[in-house]
């Protein structure tokens, strides 16, 4: 089980955010996110948005820190990338 998180450099709603992804499955991602207290509403197409103050919690729970470009590369290679223009999988 490997989850990845990029640095909290994405601004929004007055704070900075990271992206949490799995390169195995959405089920793995949802289970990990629930275990660290991410609400379901934080899921966006193929990742969870994690506020900067929760970044260390995700890393302590086992998420691997990687750069944003590498995160997208791994997500795409796993076939789990869902760009905005692609409808969600049912």
């Amino acid at each position: 089980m490997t989850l990845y998180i990029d640095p909290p450099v994405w601004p929004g709603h007055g704070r900075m955010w990271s992206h949490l992804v799995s390169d195995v499955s959405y089920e793995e991602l949802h289970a990990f996110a629930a275990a660290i207290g991410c609400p379901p509403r934080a899921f966006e197409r193929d990742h969870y948005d994690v506020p900067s103050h929760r970044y260390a919690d995700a890393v302590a729970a086992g998420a691997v820190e990687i750069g944003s470009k590498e995160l997208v590369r791994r997500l795409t290679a796993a076939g789990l990338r869902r760009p905005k223009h692609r409808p969600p999988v049912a």
Side-chain angles (χ1 to χ4, degrees):
M1 176 164 151
T2 304
L3 284 289
Y4 299 96
I5 192 164
D6 63 1
V9 298
W10 304 99
H13 308 287
R15 40 175 104 167
M16 301 301 280
W17 300 83
S18 294
H19 300 118
L20 177 69
V21 304
S22 167
D23 65 353
V24 173
S25 70
Y26 295 116
E27 292 78 17
E28 175 186 60
L29 177 59
H30 294 313
F32 185 89
I36 64 169
C38 284
R41 70 179 180 276
F43 182 69
E44 186 178 337
R45 293 183 317 276
D46 55 15
H47 67 276
Y48 277 84
D49 291 323
V50 178
S52 59
H53 69 275
R54 298 296 309 275
Y55 181 83
D57 297 336
V59 173
V64 176
E65 301 170 273
I66 60 174
S68 299
K69 288 182 182 179
E70 180 64 14
L71 183 140
V72 172
R73 189 191 70 71
R74 289 180 189 228
L75 191 60
T76 301
L80 298 173
R81 180 81 171 118
R82 292 183 184 162
K84 285 184 181 181
H85 64 275
R86 187 185 312 163
V89 175

